[in-house]
Amino acid sequence: MSTREILTFQFGHYANYVGAHFWNLQELSFDYTGTVKTEVNHDILYREGQTTKGEVTYTPRLLIADLKGSLKTLPESGGLPYESEGQGFSWDAVEKVEEPTPPKNEFLSDIDTEGPSHQEKQYNLEQDVKTWTDYLYPRLHPRSVNIVRDYVHDDTTECFDILHKGKTLWKQDYGETFTDNIRKYVEECDSMQGFQINFDCTDGFAGLALSCVEYLADEYSKSILAYPIIPSYFPDNNPTSQEDRDKSNLKDSIRLVNTALSIQELSEHATLFVPICTGDKGWRKPGSPRKFDYLNYNPELYYHSSALLASAMDTLSQKYRHKSNIYTMSDICADLTGYGRKMAAASLGMPLPINEREYLIDFLNNTTKPIYTCITPSCKIATDKIFQLITVRGVPENYLKAPMKEAKQQMNIPAYRCTNVKEMFELYFQANNFLSATNLTICEKPLEVKTPFPKFFAPELNKYGFVGSEGDPVKVESCPVVAGYHNGNFISDMLEKLHREVSRIKFAKLHKFKQEGFESSEYSDSLDRLAEFKDNYEDDFEL
């Protein structure tokens, strides 16, 4: 069976925080001994190559965009020797002029020196991480990193804050180089299944990403799965003076308009898109942090909140990367986007709070609240009349139910007839979701949360992420997780909130958009099309 390759894109600083965790999860799950059974076909997201010296490389099939000054310790070449692209050109013959790189933190230094095992060592990454490259484990292909040189990271005078700045940039040399890199990756693929695009939808990177989505839709007849991402926190979220409040309100308005325009344009060009954020509102401020049982994360640390979104993405992608599954990205898009409903919501339950001495049948029978938390902003996932794709990982079959001799009260529960984890979860969702359809994927392996994954787990968890650890707290190495895509009428409420909020903004006050050539009439048209898209979710339908 041929590998169904996917090309991944990351546009923006926070999207790269999410991406760094995502690729760490992949890389740290590799088995180099050949003794561990792997469930995932890594060739879907990775490519094999060769350096000019003939050394074999295995790197993410990935294109990244970020601003000048954001890479810190990561060289623009991705950290690997240059690969041969077949021109017979020797980079050793070229004099390379590079700025001195900042000193590496202890974790990165240990990776480079292959010193003491970094899995057994304690690091203070909460303090050490200043950017996403400070905890990035894998090395990248030389064409992966594409720096925007016209703007500087953290520059407050000339900000890359308007969607249309990204669109302008795409029409220049940057877009030409970027599309050339896309073409090179696509030409290497035998049987490509599609593109995954993760991007910050609150700033100029939205314009870059949307231009890329439109280009992909025009050039390639492949599925486009997009994640518009809203960061968990903005530095201007806690103003202390009236002047700061006014500035923060203006920035909130700009971010809100960028988000609304992103969703409207994705509804035209993406195959499926899923907005995600660990804040419950997303706009105007990210809002209160979503709560997860047995997790103590700090939403002001991108290093923390991005790990949650990466865990959800990794779990959701199991469906089209699983070796035993014939599902593809286009199947997922087709299943979820009937009636023109291209936008879906996402959820995450991490860890799945099962007691180490508890059977799954008792956990599901006794739980009184949803086993997942919505991670789509301003959205409450309905329980009725929905279509959902759920992935559960890391629940062992021996946790299913008690043997018949010890079953006692379990025998009275209808779920006792279930013979495996998949059947039991199917029955659970069938009982809890009226007039709904659930497609379930079960993965045997849990989510491995090895260093440099944040240590934000509650002390009650044992080594395997189950509840009930006694004595001294232990380092959690893996945990059971559930994640889902959900679609239904409930999405219209989120779109209604977004449309209502963005309609209150007086466009005449947003001078920066006008400076980029975006007219008031275009703005009104975009809002009208957003309202039309919302209508796709209004009509009753039958599954």
Side-chain angles (χ1 to χ4, degrees), residues 39 352-364 392-402 418-425 442-447 462-467 478-481:
E39 294 178 290
L352 200 56
I354 304 174
N355 194 289
E356 62 184 358
R357 295 190 182 89
E358 185 178 31
Y359 285 106
L360 178 63
I361 187 171
D362 293 324
F363 167 71
L364 293 177
V392 179
R393 63 199 299 190
V395 179
E397 291 291 342
N398 61 357
Y399 272 51
L400 185 66
K401 59 185 180 181
C418 298
T419 58
N420 56 46
V421 169
K422 185 172 186 179
E423 283 181 14
M424 195 165 285
F425 271 105
I442 301 294
C443 302
E444 189 181 315
K445 290 195 174 298
L447 178 75
N462 69 13
K463 180 180 176 181
Y464 305 107
F466 292 99
V467 182
S478 64
C479 67
V481 175

Side-chain angles (χ1 to χ4, degrees), residues 223-503:
S223 298
I224 301 170
L225 168 59
Y227 287 100
I229 304 173
I230 299 175
S232 55
Y233 173 79
F234 294 103
D236 59 85
N237 278 173
N238 302 313
T240 53
S241 66
Q242 186 57 47
E243 184 185 358
D244 286 346
R245 266 190 289 278
D246 292 342
K247 285 180 180 175
S248 181
N249 284 337
L250 179 60
K251 287 180 178 178
D252 280 338
S253 295
I254 289 171
R255 290 191 285 253
L256 174 57
V257 171
N258 287 331
T259 301
L261 294 176
S262 296
I263 286 177
Q264 187 275 309
E265 287 203 32
L266 286 171
S267 71
E268 294 183 10
H269 301 296
T271 318
L272 167 68
F273 64 99
V274 187
I276 52 175
C277 176
T278 59
D280 62 353
K281 286 185 179 174
W283 57 80
R284 302 182 57 95
K285 300 271 190 289
S288 303
R290 299 278 194 187
K291 289 184 170 56
F292 297 86
D293 291 341
Y294 303 102
L295 287 189
N296 304 311
Y297 74 100
N298 180 355
E300 294 187 17
L301 289 180
Y302 283 3
Y303 166 65
H304 273 195
S305 61
S306 60
L308 293 171
L309 299 184
S311 301
M313 280 185 188
D314 180 54
T315 303
L316 291 167
S317 68
Q318 298 290 313
K319 193 160 202 71
Y320 49 84
R321 296 195 292 132
H322 217 251
K323 282 183 176 175
S324 63
N325 215 329
I326 56 169
Y327 241 70
T328 64
M329 185 186 278
S330 61
D331 293 329
I332 286 174
C333 294
D335 281 354
L336 277 167
T337 57
Y339 305 92
R341 299 176 172 192
K342 289 186 175 186
M343 188 174 93
S347 66
L348 174 68
M350 174 181 166
L352 200 56
I354 304 174
N355 194 289
E356 62 184 358
R357 295 190 182 89
E358 185 178 31
Y359 285 106
L360 178 63
I361 187 171
D362 293 324
F363 167 71
L364 293 177
N365 192 51
N366 297 332
T367 189
T368 55
K369 58 182 183 179
I371 59 174
Y372 50 67
T373 298
C374 182
I375 53 171
T376 291
S378 289
C379 183
K380 186 174 187 294
I381 297 169
T383 54
D384 301 338
K385 296 183 180 177
I386 58 173
F387 188 90
Q388 54 191 4
L389 301 178
I390 305 282
T391 302
V392 179
R393 63 199 299 190
V395 179
E397 291 291 342
N398 61 357
Y399 272 51
L400 185 66
K401 59 185 180 181
M404 202 170 283
K405 292 176 185 174
E406 305 163 19
K408 298 178 184 175
Q409 295 299 317
Q410 285 186 10
M411 300 279 284
N412 300 325
I413 303 171
Y416 195 79
R417 296 195 308 271
C418 298
T419 58
N420 56 46
V421 169
K422 185 172 186 179
E423 283 181 14
M424 195 165 285
F425 271 105
E426 282 175 340
L427 187 61
Y428 168 80
F429 286 112
Q430 192 179 329
N432 283 276
N433 300 123
F434 180 66
L435 285 177
S436 299
T438 302
N439 184 310
L440 198 64
T441 299
I442 301 294
C443 302
E444 189 181 315
K445 290 195 174 298
L447 178 75
E448 295 189 0
V449 289
K450 298 176 180 175
T451 303
F453 199 88
K455 303 305 171 199
F456 48 29
F457 296 95
E460 295 94 324
L461 298 182
N462 69 13
K463 180 180 176 181
Y464 305 107
F466 292 99
V467 182
S469 179
E470 295 176 359
D472 294 333
V474 296
K475 180 182 175 184
V476 178
E477 295 181 1
S478 64
C479 67
V481 175
V482 58
Y485 293 119
H486 314 261
N487 211 339
N489 291 5
F490 68 91
I491 295 284
S492 68
D493 293 339
M494 176 204 164
L495 290 169
E496 172 65 37
K497 288 175 193 169
L498 178 62
H499 187 269
R500 186 170 61 238
E501 195 71 42
V502 78
S503 298

Side-chain angles (χ1 to χ4, degrees), residues 142-280:
R143 77 170 81 105
S144 281
V145 181
N146 298 265
I147 290 298
V148 174
R149 303 193 185 285
D150 301 39
Y151 300 89
V152 178
H153 179 63
D154 276 345
D155 184 354
T156 53
T157 53
E158 185 61 36
C159 303
F160 191 52
D161 56 350
I162 304 292
L163 180 146
H164 298 83
K165 288 185 177 182
K167 292 201 163 196
T168 301
L169 193 67
W170 182 266
K171 292 171 185 170
Q172 297 167 357
D173 290 348
Y174 186 89
E176 194 174 319
T177 305
F178 204 92
T179 52
D180 196 41
N181 286 334
I182 294 173
R183 179 185 55 77
K184 287 175 182 174
Y185 270 131
V186 172
E187 285 174 354
E188 293 171 354
C189 298
D190 294 326
S191 181
M192 193 166 203
Q193 60 173 308
F195 305 97
Q196 179 171 319
I197 301 183
N198 315 323
F199 70 97
D200 294 355
C201 65
T202 57
D203 56 25
F205 284 106
L208 268 182
L210 293 167
S211 298
C212 181
V213 168
E214 189 173 353
Y215 167 80
L216 295 173
D218 289 343
E219 291 292 319
Y220 305 98
S221 55
K222 302 293 180 185
S223 298
I224 301 170
L225 168 59
Y227 287 100
I229 304 173
I230 299 175
S232 55
Y233 173 79
F234 294 103
D236 59 85
N237 278 173
N238 302 313
T240 53
S241 66
Q242 186 57 47
E243 184 185 358
D244 286 346
R245 266 190 289 278
D246 292 342
K247 285 180 180 175
S248 181
N249 284 337
L250 179 60
K251 287 180 178 178
D252 280 338
S253 295
I254 289 171
R255 290 191 285 253
L256 174 57
V257 171
N258 287 331
T259 301
L261 294 176
S262 296
I263 286 177
Q264 187 275 309
E265 287 203 32
L266 286 171
S267 71
E268 294 183 10
H269 301 296
T271 318
L272 167 68
F273 64 99
V274 187
I276 52 175
C277 176
T278 59
D280 62 353

Side-chain angles (χ1 to χ4, degrees), residues 48-80:
E48 194 173 288
Q50 210 173 44
T51 67
T52 48
K53 294 179 180 176
E55 296 163 333
V56 174
T57 60
Y58 196 57
T59 52
R61 192 177 293 104
L62 171 68
L63 287 170
I64 283 172
D66 211 333
L67 301 184
K68 186 179 178 182
S70 62
L71 294 183
K72 304 300 184 200
T73 56
L74 179 72
E76 279 189 49
S77 62
L80 280 176

